[in-house]
């Protein structure tokens, strides 16, 4: 079966963040495509990808970009299914530029935006979108949430037992 | 058939913006629930809604809120399918507070965020999510995009014909 | 006697800051509860805590959170006594997101907010609130302020004596 | 009985906002002092007030100010019980200056800050602080919250009944 | 002779600002193309334009856009000669979003950006670029600057003569 | 005697704000020069003014400007005595651009900056500078401060007498 | 032949960034002048340079500056051909001050601004401007873009082959 | 002779910046007082200082502070001669909070503000203020400016001679 998710980034310097997206997808055993596609440096290839993705069975595209960060918006202009925008923290404006460029799309062409460097949530949002029509993913998400809950509860218990000072020592 | 979409807002003062969301859904003939639910003033009812929504067949929730704007995040904490966050322009910080509160979700619980006052795109993103598994909606979206394209092209032609000055006169 | 103060945080990664809150409370010999409670990852437990806190004798809750930082607001939705919001500096927006999410609460449900990473002041504000009806705490606060004053005055004297250059050497 | 609450403002141009604070206090039948006190234009009087307030039975001070907004901080320097800072929206920076000046207090002297123009919440936070040791106010707050809840629920029902378009017509 | 300048905008709602660009070009008797081209709503047409512009003799493109404002960057990805980006003031973020999206281009593909709503300067920068190899335009620019200088000097003289109060009366 | 103060502005559109500066100077009977001088549109004249001001007996220059707001800095580059920078509120960035351009001067060439649109304070700061060596101005400033104090105190008394609601009626 | 490009900076502390500008020019074999010119510390020399540049055959000036960053604007006031403004990241405001000071020029005197620290793009924009009338530079730019495209495509292929984890290892 | 300048700071943690102020004053052989005075932690002492400073011959006060940064404003409320505000870069908001708190003073009580961490300029502005009535300081300032000019010119020459790459090597 072809992958239903594509994960793309504007530059390979975004990969250390994007890797967290792929790790979540791997953990849920979801196949995905992975590309470096620059809206500005490889515009033809980017547009060709965006046009064909839909016919090739891609259902959701996660696009990470920083600075002017046009990639998610340009993909969304050609792809009629959900595009998830992942603003990458930039060197000079802390990712504010990336966030505004991605989230402030004009009426008619939406990009569902997650937090600056919110790479895990980009994957989880993609999974939630697939879960709308896929019960197995839905169940996997529900059990992920339970486990997550458990982890926080255990931390709280440990903190209750040890107090702030001792707890912090165990984390070093 | 039960509605698959719920549109909720933190206060009825957000309704003039939220109305644009419902108009797009109406235009696509998509049924939806419509509620005022405050994360702070009616927290019990909000949580009860978030918990039951999933069992009642809701597939996507659009949540509009302004200021501290906790509504989308709280809904997402209980609802395992996609939540679309719509930041409403606020009186003192122009919606920057709404945007940050909604988009900067912690790892584990995503909210797909659209532009400040991006009410039309909230509806379109919901439709795109449903279109992943619904061909009729997908076709409707494709034809919506074509019409949209046509409108812009006609404006451009008219502008070519009239020039800036005359064009602006026709808009008054 | 049951603790009158609860100190909670959205994630144990906030603990290095929150520890300064607990140290001030320890210094004033005030008992407190200490929990990790995530508005998004453990919403049920968070709400259960918020509802019961009041019956169990908690008089003030200090809630630290970063990013979307919904914890203080959600607690305040269920807890009718003072909630002190402590915005934690975030990695991408320097805590501006935390500050706006916590302070910009809608009319009807206040959160008394302190500075970004203002962990000591969160404790002191809790003490001031208790001091309204507790003379011992009031006296302790007054003597704390005197000592604080003394410290600054001694620094000023030392600076007068040594001059800027020598003073800085003694601090290395 | 002497008032336990003082409401002060840096300039009478803040009064249209501050009036919402006094209206909430009136509604809860709480007596209060009301002064114009400028940290910069009447510094002596401001400091004299701050020093004496405590002896005269004032338990909480609500201080509203805009721009450089030093009033709450200066009051807090002299008053050992809770000071609530109310940032007033300013003409040039939308109240961001007021917010930062009030909330970013240094360690040792806290100001519990509410939203920009959050005048109602300033009063409610003062009431919550008094409610820590006053059961009558606590009960009044609980019933206020219930009424508030009721109002939102009725709006939601009305919206369900009328739909967005008709609802908005009734508000004109 | 074919026009050497193209003036494009993302939406006809930008036209009231863009008109000031065309007026400066008209004043200098420079022919130009004028189009509405949306990077998101008419992406194919936009790219087709960008690719062909160069062959058709266009030497400079002025692109105005607001919000996510991807138009100038996308044009620059296909057009190897200067692109001037004109950020249009947006409704929710005052044009900060437009400015960041346009100016923060990644290394390799520049956009020369002018002030938010700096429509006149967009035209003047285009003229300066043409003036590098066109003496007639250079002379026209020099005489424009002289006239501009004269205007300011006359205002200063009038102000000297009348004083602030009387001067302001003459402007009503 | 020649004026010791010059008041200059980058554009006559700044005059409605600058007028408040001249009114304070008039009130203190201080003579001043008044010019429109643009760092960008009349650079030669601006520099000539800056160079000669010092020889002609000018002791303080107040320079108001908006947007890129280079005027105060350029004047300071040539004038060895105090330059007061007055940032004018701009149309697109609310005067933040003006403030940063004026206040963030590099080491070596200071500009003493007042609030955005702080036209009265620009005049008062100039007077304080002259008062360092002019007892008459110092006395006038002291009595100005007393009067100012009186005004605030009277407002406070009136507010005490009337309460918020009635007070506001008297201001309409 | 005299250089057609001048690269200037406000301080030699900007040189580590500016060096990237000169490296691009070197790579394209474009001769250039290189100066430290401070609008505030060497204003006379700066203005003398700006006035003569035009007669000496300079066609484009690239001016990098940080903080108040008046250099590009002052140069533009005297130089009738294109000035490219390069905002340098500043220590306290991350280059926001530099960006606003440079881009927000008043009508009449444009500065074509590139990204904060966008030193490579400053050079490329200068080359594009020269390419308007120089076919050799135009061809060099086209082949530069092709190579740039190739690099991104190869990275994408490598990423496809290795996956995120292995790819990142090869970059250490 | 008593010092005419006082340099004060809100906390001794500001001293590494403030030291640059004292170094400039030392270099000009200007005597000064040096104190740690906290508007919040030692308010009485701060006010006592502000009131007496004037009688003791202080002509200018330089006040450095960070965060809420009320010190310069409070001093200005009591001191009728020039107060120079020096915003110190803060840990969480990069000094934006300090800047706004210091510069946005209300009409009636000005503070002449310099750049964030602009410690040298604070001293130079104080010197310029004294130079209004002190020819020796004026001459010293003029010769300081000449030397400063010389330094920049020498750097430019060296850069011309060595080129960017070699120049940077000499700075390591």
């Amino acid at each position: 079966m072809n992958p239903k998710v594509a994960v793309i980034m504007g530059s390979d310097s975004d990969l250390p963040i994007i890797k967290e997206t792929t790790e979540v997808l791997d953990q849920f055993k979801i196949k995905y495509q992975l590309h470096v596609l620059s809206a500005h440096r490889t515009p033809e290839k980017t547009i060709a990808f965006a046009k064909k993705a839909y016919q090739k069975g891609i259902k959701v595209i996660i696009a990470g970009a920083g600075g002017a960060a046009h990639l998610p918006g340009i993909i969304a202009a050609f792809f009629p299914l959900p595009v998830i925008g992942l603003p990458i923290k930039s060197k000079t404006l802390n990712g504010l530029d990336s966030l505004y460029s991605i989230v402030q799309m004009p009426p008619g062409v939406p990009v569902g935006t997650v937090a600056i460097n919110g790479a895990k949530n980009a994957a989880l949002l993609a999974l939630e979108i697939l879960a709308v029509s896929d019960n197995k993913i839905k169940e996997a998400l529900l059990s992920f949430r339970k486990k997550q809950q458990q982890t926080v509860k255990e931390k709280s218990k440990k903190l209750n037992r040890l107090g702030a000072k001792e707890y912090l020592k165990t984390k070093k």
Side-chain angles (χ1 to χ4, degrees), chain A:
Chain A
M1 207 177 82
N2 284 330
K4 288 183 173 167
V5 178
V7 179
I8 64 178
M9 71 210 77
S11 158
D12 72 335
S13 63
D14 302 334
L15 192 56
I17 297 300
I18 300 283
K19 198 177 68 120
E20 300 178 34
T21 302
T22 61
E23 284 168 355
V24 173
L25 295 173
D26 288 342
Q27 185 185 340
F28 279 83
K29 306 201 168 151
I30 297 293
K31 284 198 291 183
Y32 53 89
Q33 290 188 19
L34 186 63
H35 303 291
V36 182
L37 286 171
S38 166
H40 303 116
R41 284 170 292 207
T42 58
E44 303 264 19
K45 203 188 152 201
T46 301
I47 290 158
F49 166 82
K51 280 182 178 170
K52 281 181 295 186
Y54 165 50
Q55 275 90 0
K56 294 203 168 170
I58 297 292
K59 302 294 187 200
V60 194
I61 297 175
I62 296 169
H70 296 176
L71 184 63
I74 290 312
I75 295 293
F78 289 97
F79 184 70
L81 295 175
V83 174
I84 296 172
L86 168 56
I88 303 290
K89 186 176 176 179
S90 52
K91 274 183 203 154
T92 52
L93 292 177
N94 283 323
L96 258 195
D97 43 2
S98 328
L99 173 59
Y100 293 173
S101 284
I102 291 175
V103 82
Q104 289 290 79
M105 290 289 289
V109 183
V111 167
T113 307
V114 294
I116 301 170
N117 278 1
K120 285 182 191 160
N121 277 356
L124 289 169
L125 184 54
L127 290 164
E128 288 181 9
I129 288 168
L130 295 178
V132 166
S133 56
D134 183 328
N135 269 317
K136 256 171 90 178
I137 296 179
K138 194 172 57 188
E139 293 307 319
L141 278 168
L142 288 169
S143 97
F144 166 86
R145 288 199 167 202
K146 262 189 210 147
K147 238 178 278 173
Q148 180 171 260
Q149 218 170 85
Q150 209 45 45
T151 311
V152 177
K153 282 179 184 169
E154 274 156 26
K155 284 178 178 174
S156 197
K157 267 186 208 160
K158 185 178 148 193
L159 180 58
N160 274 234
R161 209 174 60 235
L162 299 178
K165 209 173 136 189
E166 291 304 311
Y167 187 101
L168 282 172
K169 281 184 195 163
T170 71
K171 295 193 71 177
K172 273 171 201 163

